[in-house]
Amino acid sequence: RVRYVSVVPEKNNLIESFCDEHHLVCEKYDPALDDRITFEYTAPGHDRIAAAAGAASVYGFNDCIIVDAGTAVKIDLVINRVFRGGVIFPGPTLSTKSLAADTAQLPDIRPEVTAPPGKDTASCMRAGVSYGIFFAITGFISYYREKFGALPCVVTGGFGEQFYNFCDGSVVSLVFDPALIARSLFSYCPRKRS
């Protein structure tokens, strides 16, 4: 059995074709059938709901912040196992590509964590993108905690480990789980459609 969540529609056919070719049962994650979490949100990304359900089922968090730092950075809020929404902004690769595409002279560079101040254009861009994202994430965590109390925070995604290392213990109740969504799908037992 293969369970998957995808927010890239053209990949769904690829995954399902692979399963068919290998005679595997293919099950796409459906937030509407997940009893672990509910949501007050119009058409949420299935990955975001799967992450929230994972934080609830894997860590037992009824209330938490979820940071998924990848292509896009999502910082979501869960209160009483209700996904309340959050913020979305460009991750490191989108940010550097946007700088290169939408300016006259900035180069297309590979993002890397670089401490400011930069010493040349590329290192300035890397420092601005990496530390700008770090400061944005810590700012939103602080904002949610001011409004909703000392919420634990689960960090995941391709850029999540760099953020976790950047915090170096300065953000309390912070858990890094690179496999949060996979763990969520593993523990997912969809209810029957009515």
Side-chain angles (χ1 to χ4, degrees):
R1 175 177 305 266
V2 174
R3 288 186 180 147
Y4 76 98
V5 61
S6 172
V7 292
V8 183
E10 54 271 11
K11 298 291 182 190
N12 295 347
N13 289 338
L14 181 67
I15 294 166
E16 291 175 11
S17 294
F18 174 86
C19 290
D20 285 346
E21 287 173 25
H22 293 87
H23 309 290
L24 299 168
V25 175
C26 192
E27 184 178 312
K28 184 175 184 210
Y29 176 74
D30 184 349
L33 302 178
D34 194 338
D35 289 332
R36 301 172 298 171
I37 199 95
T38 58
F39 46 92
E40 295 177 349
Y41 193 92
T42 305
H46 292 188
D47 58 333
R48 295 169 72 195
I49 300 301
S57 63
V58 173
Y59 295 99
F61 295 153
N62 292 322
D63 307 320
C64 67
I65 301 163
I66 297 144
V67 175
D68 187 347
T71 304
V73 177
K74 286 95 54 190
I75 306 171
D76 292 319
L77 179 66
V78 175
I79 302 292
N80 294 323
R81 291 197 182 215
V82 177
F83 178 86
R84 301 299 257 318
V87 299
I88 302 173
F89 54 92
T93 300
L94 284 177
S95 295
T96 56
K97 287 194 177 304
S98 177
L99 284 169
D102 295 331
T103 61
Q105 295 187 22
L106 294 179
D108 188 7
I109 60 165
R110 197 173 136 266
E112 295 173 11
V113 175
T114 302
K119 302 297 184 199
D120 56 36
T121 300
S123 65
C124 287
M125 290 171 66
R126 288 184 175 109
V129 167
S130 60
Y131 274 65
I133 290 170
F134 293 158
F135 294 144
I137 293 171
T138 56
F140 281 113
I141 291 170
S142 294
Y143 175 78
Y144 285 153
R145 287 178 172 171
E146 285 172 18
K147 301 277 274 181
F148 299 99
L151 301 174
C153 180
V154 182
V155 178
T156 193
F159 193 63
E161 185 173 12
Q162 289 91 333
F163 171 69
Y164 183 79
N165 292 335
F166 166 79
C167 291
D168 193 29
S170 65
V171 178
V172 295
S173 300
L174 188 68
V175 175
F176 172 59
D177 186 344
L180 177 65
I181 293 174
R183 291 181 212 282
S184 178
L185 294 176
F186 183 76
S187 64
Y188 168 60
C189 295
R191 71 172 175 271
K192 300 289 184 204
R193 292 186 188 272
S194 45

